[in-house]
C-alpha cells in the first residue's frame, strides 16, 4: 500500500509596484523573487535534469502574477540586484578591516549566489511566470489559482464581492498562464458556510464551484481533524505562519478524532459541481512550520533576523533558540548543508511513519506552506524540499503527487461540512477582525455596497466604464487580507493603514465621480481614472467579470 504526498506552496504578495521601493515597496517583491522564486526554479530544473519527480502544487495569486508579469518588475529587479551585488562585493574588504574574518567566506558565498541567480533571471528574460508555466507544460508541477487580491472572503459584505475575487482570480490565472486552474488557494484558508440569517448568502465552497474551481486546501481543525496550528504572535512583517507553535497535543502530535486529515472530502452542496477539500496534516506541517519545534530553528541554519547593513547580507547562524542577536555565531556553509540533507532524510522517514500509522485509514498526506517560508525566512528551505523529493523518489510507500493527480486517482470521497474559521491565530477570523482592525471593515463595507449599486448603470455607459473599471481595481486592492494582518501583528502598522486608506480613498473618488456624473465632468473623470491606473495597473479585463456577475440571473441583490 502507498500514500500520496502533496506539497502545496502558496505564493502571495500584495500590490507593491509603483508604491515606493524600500522597505515595503518593490524591494519586497524583488527580495521574494531573489530569495525564493528563483532558487525554487533553480532546484526544480536541477531535479528535472536528475529525473527526480518533484510534483509541487504551486499557487501564485493573481495579484502577485500581475506584478511578476509587469514590465516595471524587470526594471525594479535590476536595481535591487545591483544594490545587493554592490554590498556583497564590498563586504570581504570591509569585514577584513573590522577583524570579522570568519564572516568573509559567507559574504563571498552570497556574491556567488546572487550572481548565479541573476544569470538565471536573465536567461529567463525576466519572465518567471513563463518559467513556471513551462514546468507545468512538462508535467513537473501544477499551478493553482486564488482570489484576485487575496481578499479575506468570509468577511466581505456582498456575495458579488466574493464572486469578483474568485471569478476574476480564475480569469486572470487563465490569461497569464494560458490555461484554467483546477485548484484554488483559499486566502488564509478562510472558510464560512451559508449565513444562517441570510440564506441567500452562499457558502464559500458554492462560490468556488460557480467560479470554476474544483478543489481547495483547508486546515485540520476546520475539518475537525485536529486543533488550530496557526499562530501569529510576535512575528515581523511577512513572517505570517512561520512562528506557529500550536499543535495537536496527543499521540505524536496528532489528536485522535472521528475524521482524518489523510483524505480529501466533498464539500459542495448536493447537485452542485464537485468541490473537494484537501486537509492539512498537523504532524508533518509542524515539523516544517515551527522554528522552535521544527527544522528551521536548527542552530546551524542561517539566522533571518540579524542582517548586515548596508546591503542586507545575512552572515550569522541561528546558534540557539534563546541566543540574543549579539551572540549569534558565524554561519558555517558545510554544516548547514549537512543538516539540510539530514532533515530531508528525516522528513521522508516521517512521511513513511505516517503512512504506516494511517494504513487503511487515509490515502494522502497534505503539507501546505507559504512559498516564501522557503529560501526567504528559512534560507535552506528550498534545498530541504529538493532533498526530501530525492529521498521520496526511493520510498516504497510514499509517492509525491500534485493535488489534481491525487484527486484523479481517488475520485470517491465522503461529504463533509467544514467549520467556520481560518489557519490564523486561534483558528478563527480574529487575526483579521479585532479591535485594531474593525475600522477597516467599517470603511470597506459601504464602499462595496456603493460599487455594486452603481455598477449596473455605469457598466453599459461608455463615458463611465473606464472610471468603473478603476473603481473595481481599487476596491479589490483595498480588500487584500494583508492590510488587516499587518495591522494585527503590530509590525509597520502605519504602512498597512496608509495603503488601505489610499485604495479606499481612490475607490471613493472614482465612485463619487460616477455618482455625480455630468456631461461636463465625463472627460475629467476618465482622465483621472487613466492617471490612477498608471500607478495601480492591474487586471485589464476586470469589467468583463463585473458584467458577468451582473448578468448572472441568480446574482444576489443588496
Amino acid at each position: 500500500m502507498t500514500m500520496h504526498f502533496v506539497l502545496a506552496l502558496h505564493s502571495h504578495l500584495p500590490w507593491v509596484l509603483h508604491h515606493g521601493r524600500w522597505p515595503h515597496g518593490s524591494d519586497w517583491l524583488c527580495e521574494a523573487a531573489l530569495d525564493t522564486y528563483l532558487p525554487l526554479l533553480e532546484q526544480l530544473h536541477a531535479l528535472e535534469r536528475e529525473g527526480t519527480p518533484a510534483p509541487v502544487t504551486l499557487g501564485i495569486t493573481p495579484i502577485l502574477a500581475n506584478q511578476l508579469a509587469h514590465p516595471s518588475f524587470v526594471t525594479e529587479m535590476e536595481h535591487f540586484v545591483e544594490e545587493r551585488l554592490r554590498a556583497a562585493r564590498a563586504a570581504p574588504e570591509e569585514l577584513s578591516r573590522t577583524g570579522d574574518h570568519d564572516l568573509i567566506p559567507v559574504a563571498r558565498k552570497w556574491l556567488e549566489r546572487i550572481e548565479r541567480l541573476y544569470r538565471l533571471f536573465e536567461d529567463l528574460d525576466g519572465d518567471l511566470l513563463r518559467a513556471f508555466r513551462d514546468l507545468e507544460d512538462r508535467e513537473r508541477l501544477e499551478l493553482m489559482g486564488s482570489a484576485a487580491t487575496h481578499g479575506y472572503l468570509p468577511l466581505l459584505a456582498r456575495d458579488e464581492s466574493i464572486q469578483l475575487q474568485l471569478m476574476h482570480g480564475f480569469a486572470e490565472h487563465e490569461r497569464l498562464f494560458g490555461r484554467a486552474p483546477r485548484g484554488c488557494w483559499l486566502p488564509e484558508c478562510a472558510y464560512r458556510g451559508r449565513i444562517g440569517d441570510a440564506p441567500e448568502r452562499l457558502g464559500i465552497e458554492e462560490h468556488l464551484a460557480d467560479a470554476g474551481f474544483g478543489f481547495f486546501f483547508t486546515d485540520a481543525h476546520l475539518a475537525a481533524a485536529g486543533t488550530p496550528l496557526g499562530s501569529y504572535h510576535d512575528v515581523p512583517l511577512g513572517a505570517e505562519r512561520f512562528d506557529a507553535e500550536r499543535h495537536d497535543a496527543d499521540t505524536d502530535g496528532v489528536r485522535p478524532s472521528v475524521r482524518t486529515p489523510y483524505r480529501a472530502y466533498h464539500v459542495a452542496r448536493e447537485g452542485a459541481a464537485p468541490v473537494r477539500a484537501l486537509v492539512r496534516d498537523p504532524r508533518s506541517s509542524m515539523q516544517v512550520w515551527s522554528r522552535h519545534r521544527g527544522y528551521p530553528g536548527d542552530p546551524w541554519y542561517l539566522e533571518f533576523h540579524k542582517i548586515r547593513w548596508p546591503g542586507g547580507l545575512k552572515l550569522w547562524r541561528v546558534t540557539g533558540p534563546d541566543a540574543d542577536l549579539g551572540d549569534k555565531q558565524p554561519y558555517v556553509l558545510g554544516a548547514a548543508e549537512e543538516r539540510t540533507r539530514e532533515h530531508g532524510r528525516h522528513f521522508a522517514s516521517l512521511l513513511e511513519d505516517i503512512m504506516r500509522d494511517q494504513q487503511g485509514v487515509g490515502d494522502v498526506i497534505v503539507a501546505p506552506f507559504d512559498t516564501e517560508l522557503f529560501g526567504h525566512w528559512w534560507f535552506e528551505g528550498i534545498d530541504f524540499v529538493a532533498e526530501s523529493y530525492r529521498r521520496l523518489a526511493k520510498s516504497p510507500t510514499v509517492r509525491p503527487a500534485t493535488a489534481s493527480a491525487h484527486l484523479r486517482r481517488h475520485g470517491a470521497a465522503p461529504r463533509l461540512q467544514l467549520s467556520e474559521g481560518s489557519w490564523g491565530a486561534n483558528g478563527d477570523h480574529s487575526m483579521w477582525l479585532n479591535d485594531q482592525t474593525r475600522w477597516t471593515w467599517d470603511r470597506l463595507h459601504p464602499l462595496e455596497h456603493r460599487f455594486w449599486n452603481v455598477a449596473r448603470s455605469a457598466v453599459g455607459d461608455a463615458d463611465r466604464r473606464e472610471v468603473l473599471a478603476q473603481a473595481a481595481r481599487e476596491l479589490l486592492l483595498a480588500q487584500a487580507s494583508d492590510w488587516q494582518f499587518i495591522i494585527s501583528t503590530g509590525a509597520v502598522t502605519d504602512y498597512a493603514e496608509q495603503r488601505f486608506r489610499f485604495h479606499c480613498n481612490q475607490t471613493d473618488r472614482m465612485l463619487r465621480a460616477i455618482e455625480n456624473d455630468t456631461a461636463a465632468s465625463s472627460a475629467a473623470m476618465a482622465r483621472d481614472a487613466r492617471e490612477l491606473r498608471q500607478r495601480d495597473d492591474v487586471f485589464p479585463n476586470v469589467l468583463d467579470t463585473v458584467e458577468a456577475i451582473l448578468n448572472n440571473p441568480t446574482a444576489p441583490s443588496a
Side-chain angles (χ1 to χ4, degrees):
M1 180 180 173
T2 61
M3 286 183 77
H4 280 148
F5 169 64
V6 173
L7 175 65
L9 299 181
H10 157 57
S11 317
H12 169 66
L13 284 176
W15 177 255
V16 293
L17 285 179
H18 312 152
H19 285 269
R21 278 182 173 161
W22 186 87
H24 307 302
S26 62
D27 279 8
W28 194 2
L29 174 67
C30 295
E31 188 173 48
L34 187 63
D35 288 356
T36 295
Y37 310 145
L38 284 166
L40 178 61
L41 281 166
E42 183 180 52
Q43 279 290 11
L44 291 175
H45 289 157
L47 291 166
E48 183 178 27
R49 289 191 298 270
E50 296 169 13
T52 300
V56 178
T57 302
L58 179 67
I60 300 177
T61 59
I63 193 61
L64 173 58
N66 268 258
Q67 293 176 90
L68 296 177
H70 200 284
S72 295
F73 168 61
V74 174
T75 303
E76 293 300 307
M77 190 69 173
E78 290 170 350
H79 177 270
F80 178 82
V81 170
E82 183 53 43
E83 291 289 312
R84 285 290 177 94
L85 287 173
R86 187 180 298 117
R89 288 167 182 152
E93 182 178 345
E94 294 169 356
L95 291 168
S96 180
R97 285 201 305 267
T98 58
D100 295 309
H101 301 289
D102 290 343
L103 301 177
I104 293 175
V106 191
R108 288 175 175 156
K109 188 68 175 179
W110 270 113
L111 177 59
E112 182 276 329
R113 174 186 172 87
I114 296 168
E115 290 176 336
R116 187 185 75 245
L117 290 172
Y118 193 63
R119 284 195 300 272
L120 173 59
F121 185 74
E122 292 180 314
D123 290 343
L124 298 172
D125 295 324
D127 194 343
L128 303 189
L129 297 190
R130 186 184 66 189
F132 285 118
R133 184 174 63 241
D134 289 348
L135 284 166
E136 186 175 45
D137 288 342
R138 299 195 296 272
E139 299 183 345
R140 296 293 303 181
L141 55 74
E142 174 179 10
L143 292 168
M144 61 178 167
S146 186
T149 60
H150 208 256
Y152 197 85
L153 305 182
L155 297 183
L156 296 180
R158 298 279 290 249
D159 270 16
E160 297 101 323
S161 295
I162 300 173
Q163 291 167 358
L164 183 59
Q165 281 280 348
L166 291 174
M167 290 174 62
H168 201 63
F170 187 97
E172 281 292 285
H173 187 100
E174 194 166 21
R175 178 179 72 88
L176 292 165
F177 291 103
R179 61 175 61 85
R182 291 178 289 272
C184 179
W185 180 265
L186 204 56
E188 314 296 0
C189 292
Y191 171 85
R192 67 155 174 79
R194 286 199 174 212
I195 297 178
D197 57 356
E200 71 279 6
R201 294 295 307 275
L202 303 182
I204 299 299
E205 76 282 0
E206 296 174 280
H207 289 300
L208 286 167
D210 291 344
F213 292 108
F215 70 84
F216 65 100
F217 293 84
T218 191
D219 211 347
H221 69 286
L222 302 186
T227 56
L229 281 176
S231 177
Y232 292 80
H233 303 297
D234 302 321
V235 294
L237 174 64
E240 302 202 2
R241 272 65 58 174
F242 185 59
D243 276 348
E245 287 308 312
R246 299 170 66 94
H247 59 93
D248 291 355
D250 295 338
T251 306
D252 294 325
V254 179
R255 181 186 296 258
S257 67
V258 296
R259 300 190 180 101
T260 174
Y262 302 109
R263 66 185 309 171
Y265 294 92
H266 277 294
V267 292
R269 64 186 185 275
E270 292 285 354
V275 177
R276 282 178 282 181
L278 291 149
V279 183
R280 178 166 67 156
D281 165 41
R283 191 170 168 189
S284 59
S285 292
M286 177 55 61
Q287 193 65 62
V288 177
W289 214 273
S290 170
R291 71 178 178 194
H292 295 296
R293 293 173 54 88
Y295 306 129
D298 188 275
W300 293 101
Y301 284 154
L302 192 71
E303 170 59 49
F304 174 83
H305 295 96
K306 187 169 183 177
I307 302 172
R308 184 179 187 271
W309 294 105
L313 299 182
K314 299 166 187 173
L315 307 173
W316 297 268
R317 60 186 177 91
V318 172
T319 305
D322 302 314
D324 184 81
L325 290 183
D327 297 327
K328 301 293 183 179
Q329 298 300 304
Y331 187 65
V332 181
L333 297 171
E337 292 169 0
E338 177 56 33
R339 295 301 288 157
T340 301
R341 288 190 288 270
E342 291 177 10
H343 287 150
R345 289 193 294 268
H346 180 270
F347 189 68
S349 177
L350 171 65
L351 297 179
E352 290 174 334
D353 288 345
I354 292 172
M355 183 272 164
R356 284 190 290 271
D357 292 345
Q358 301 299 322
Q359 193 166 8
V361 176
D363 48 41
V364 64
I365 306 167
V366 177
F369 305 101
D370 287 337
T371 311
E372 294 79 15
L373 165 64
F374 302 93
H376 178 61
W377 291 101
W378 177 17
F379 177 72
E380 300 81 4
I382 290 173
D383 293 338
F384 158 80
V385 169
E387 189 61 31
S388 297
Y389 276 126
R390 291 186 181 103
R391 296 292 168 178
L392 289 173
K394 304 173 184 177
S395 173
T397 57
V398 178
R399 295 179 181 172
T402 64
S404 288
H406 169 73
L407 294 173
R408 282 195 300 269
R409 181 172 174 181
H410 299 275
R415 193 167 298 276
L416 175 68
Q417 175 61 55
L418 296 176
S419 300
E420 184 165 346
S422 74
W423 74 347
N426 307 313
D428 56 18
H429 303 317
S430 59
M431 194 68 198
W432 293 270
L433 177 58
N434 52 57
D435 290 343
Q436 288 72 46
T437 65
R438 192 174 306 277
W439 67 271
T440 65
W441 299 105
D442 291 341
R443 180 77 193 279
L444 193 58
H445 287 168
L447 291 173
E448 286 187 62
H449 291 302
R450 287 173 61 200
F451 176 86
W452 291 108
N453 290 344
V454 305
R456 191 172 297 279
S457 61
V459 74
D461 185 333
D463 292 334
R464 297 191 289 172
R465 279 180 64 85
E466 195 169 9
V467 183
L468 183 68
Q470 196 58 38
R473 295 183 185 104
E474 298 300 331
L475 181 61
L476 285 167
L477 292 171
Q479 289 171 350
S481 70
D482 308 85
W483 313 133
Q484 288 88 7
F485 169 75
I486 296 170
I487 293 168
S488 294
T489 64
V492 293
T493 298
D494 56 342
Y495 172 78
E497 292 179 348
Q498 179 267 322
R499 286 294 308 277
F500 175 79
R501 287 193 173 100
F502 173 84
H503 296 299
C504 287
N505 289 342
Q506 298 312 313
T507 306
D508 175 67
R509 177 184 166 204
M510 294 294 103
L511 292 176
R512 279 189 289 108
I514 295 172
E515 292 162 345
N516 302 324
D517 181 28
T518 64
S521 67
S522 295
M525 187 168 61
R527 184 182 62 249
D528 289 348
R530 286 193 294 271
E531 290 176 355
L532 182 57
R533 186 176 176 183
Q534 290 179 1
R535 184 170 191 173
D536 295 332
D537 184 17
V538 295
F539 307 150
N541 305 319
V542 67
L543 279 194
D544 292 347
T545 307
V546 172
E547 286 185 288
I549 293 169
L550 293 173
N551 292 331
N552 179 0
T554 62
S557 57

